[in-house]
Amino acid sequence: MAKRIQFSETGTPDVLQYVDYQPQDPQAGEVQVENKAIGINYIDTYVRSGLYPPASFPAGLGTEAAGIVSKVGSDVTAVKPGDRVVYAQSALGAYSEFHNVPQEKIALLPDAISFEQAAASFLKGLTVYYLLRQTHEVQAGETILFHAAAGGVGLIACQWAKALGVKLIGTVGSDEKAERAKQAGAWATINYQKEDIAARVAELTGGEKVGVVYDSVGKDTFEKSLNSLKRRGLLVSFGNASGPVKGVDLAVLNQKGSLFVTRPSLNGYVTNREELAQASSELFSLIASGAIKVDVSDAQKFPLSEAKRAHETLESRVTQGSSLLIP
Ligand code: NDP
């Protein structure tokens, strides 16, 4: 028997149970990974709470981890038992000691990158890759606005933007987080608990505002993000930390300057082995070179058995950077 987190109804972190289970042998094309470090992502809270409910119960949780290949199914050519690997976008169930993953979702881990660094950065780093390199291809010297800049995705974005010569204005919920985002390479920060986002963006850009806003906060910042855009600017709405954006009147895009809005997800950008190889090689080389640092503080490493406390901590907005579960 092994251990995993499962839940039988959606709700608060209290629904998460730490249980025994029998790992299944991998099917054709699948790889069984013995997880050594598990990535916690905000999307896991949406699944648990019922915003993105699972198809059936009891359900596993989590889609990202790093570890060692323990078994492979037939037709697996990408990896072999004993390989160090990382995966993201798996079926629910990564909050576990062993998880079966399709080989297309797996990348071999370079020796220079630890399991913890990989689990802290893979899904979030692939996200930053497509946001900054594909949804809108940022240019050196360009100024952008990025919300929740001291979060897991946010701190990687600050560092990646700096590496590309981009001036990232990061919004944060406290002065402590502002300091952390600045250290990670943000050009400027806005504490949205006490400053008006759009007015500060206008001030910081000499009245010009920005051509692109990356918004994962959702409901609370949607309007403020539109108000921070220059004429024909692009709002990339990629998350719902404060709740989903609903009931938008498209006329508002016309009134605020012929704006564009997109609602992308990683599943729409990294969809096959080639796209994964391209995105992960850019990410891994930035981590290996030290341009992106993804070390997780001890306070944000939780034993797998404490997934409930990990979710409570993430949702209470006190975390900086990524959080991990350790089996
Ligand atoms: P974070 O570590 O960024 O945690 C979420 C942060 O959102 C909080 O720390 C908090 O920072 C901020 N926040 C603002 N308002 C609220 C609120 N009302 N309640 C809770 N938090 C709030 O999480 P992740 O790095 O895991 O993910 C960041 C975002 O990116 C999420 O919204 C996630 O869904 C999205 N995402 C989207 C993907 C996609 O492809 N579309 C892929 C991966 C992630 P502060 O206190 O500074 O405001």
Side-chain angles (χ1 to χ4, degrees):
M1 293 298 255
K3 293 282 190 185
R4 74 164 192 161
I5 294 293
Q6 71 173 35
F7 62 122
S8 295
E9 57 179 328
T10 57
T12 67
D14 287 330
V15 300
L16 300 179
Q17 299 164 316
Y18 182 59
V19 299
D20 290 322
Y21 77 111
Q22 186 61 55
Q24 302 296 305
D25 282 339
Q27 308 274 303
E30 276 188 346
V31 176
Q32 185 187 71
V33 181
E34 181 181 358
N35 293 330
K36 298 293 184 188
I38 299 160
I40 303 177
N41 290 287
Y42 215 87
I43 192 173
D44 305 338
T45 72
Y46 307 150
V47 175
R48 187 216 70 226
S49 69
L51 183 63
Y52 302 165
S56 61
F57 290 110
L61 194 57
T63 58
E64 172 185 46
I68 297 172
V69 173
S70 42
K71 289 181 184 172
V72 295
S74 57
D75 304 330
V76 168
T77 51
V79 296
K80 59 182 186 319
D83 283 345
R84 298 171 75 249
V85 295
V86 61
Y87 60 86
Q89 302 174 279
S90 72
L92 293 177
Y95 286 14
S96 60
E97 290 179 344
F98 295 88
H99 192 38
N100 293 347
V101 183
Q103 60 177 335
E104 312 78 67
K105 308 286 185 192
I106 291 194
L108 281 166
L109 202 50
D111 291 342
I113 301 178
S114 70
F115 294 128
E116 292 189 0
Q117 288 171 323
S121 66
F122 199 52
L123 191 147
K124 298 173 186 75
L126 297 177
T127 300
V128 174
Y129 166 83
Y130 87 74
L131 291 173
L132 299 187
R133 310 272 287 113
Q134 296 186 310
T135 307
H136 165 81
E137 197 173 350
V138 293
Q139 304 296 321
E142 180 178 1
T143 308
I144 67 175
L145 179 65
F146 205 104
H147 290 304
V153 171
L155 281 185
I156 295 174
C158 290
Q159 298 176 79
W160 205 317
K162 175 100 188 287
L164 293 171
V166 170
K167 291 152 78 177
L168 181 148
I169 303 173
T171 66
V172 290
S174 69
D175 291 341
E176 211 186 341
K177 288 185 181 183
E179 194 48 45
R180 184 77 190 273
K182 277 255 184 66
Q183 281 166 6
W187 173 71
T189 54
I190 299 173
N191 179 342
Y192 44 25
Q193 302 293 2
K194 50 187 191 191
E195 295 176 282
D196 180 281
I197 296 175
R200 252 325 257 151
V201 168
E203 201 172 64
L204 286 163
T205 55
E208 207 176 301
K209 303 197 176 180
V210 293
V212 59
V213 176
Y214 293 98
D215 186 340
S216 64
V217 173
K219 179 170 68 65
D220 289 356
T221 46
F222 181 72
E223 183 89 17
K224 297 167 188 174
S225 295
L226 294 181
N227 291 339
S228 302
L229 285 167
K230 60 172 97 162
R231 194 160 55 91
R232 301 203 299 260
L234 171 68
L235 169 59
V236 182
S237 174
F238 70 102
N240 324 284
S242 67
V245 178
K246 287 184 178 159
V248 177
D249 176 3
L250 286 181
V252 81
L253 303 180
N254 155 29
Q255 289 150 11
K256 291 184 187 290
S258 297
L259 303 178
F260 295 82
V261 177
T262 182
R263 177 55 176 96
S265 81
L266 183 57
N267 293 334
Y269 281 86
V270 175
T271 63
N272 57 42
R273 274 210 79 74
E274 290 69 42
E275 288 169 352
L276 183 67
Q278 172 67 34
S280 54
S281 82
E282 284 207 30
L283 173 66
F284 290 159
S285 50
L286 285 163
I287 295 174
S289 74
I292 293 183
K293 295 191 174 58
V294 287
D295 296 318
V296 176
S297 69
D298 286 343
Q300 287 177 215
K301 288 179 200 165
F302 301 85
L304 177 59
S305 57
E306 294 186 25
K308 169 179 173 303
R309 189 166 65 86
H311 273 217
E312 285 165 351
T313 308
L314 181 61
E315 290 177 294
S316 68
R317 300 177 70 164
V318 296
T319 59
Q320 296 180 13
S322 302
S323 302
L324 296 174
L325 291 171
I326 309 296

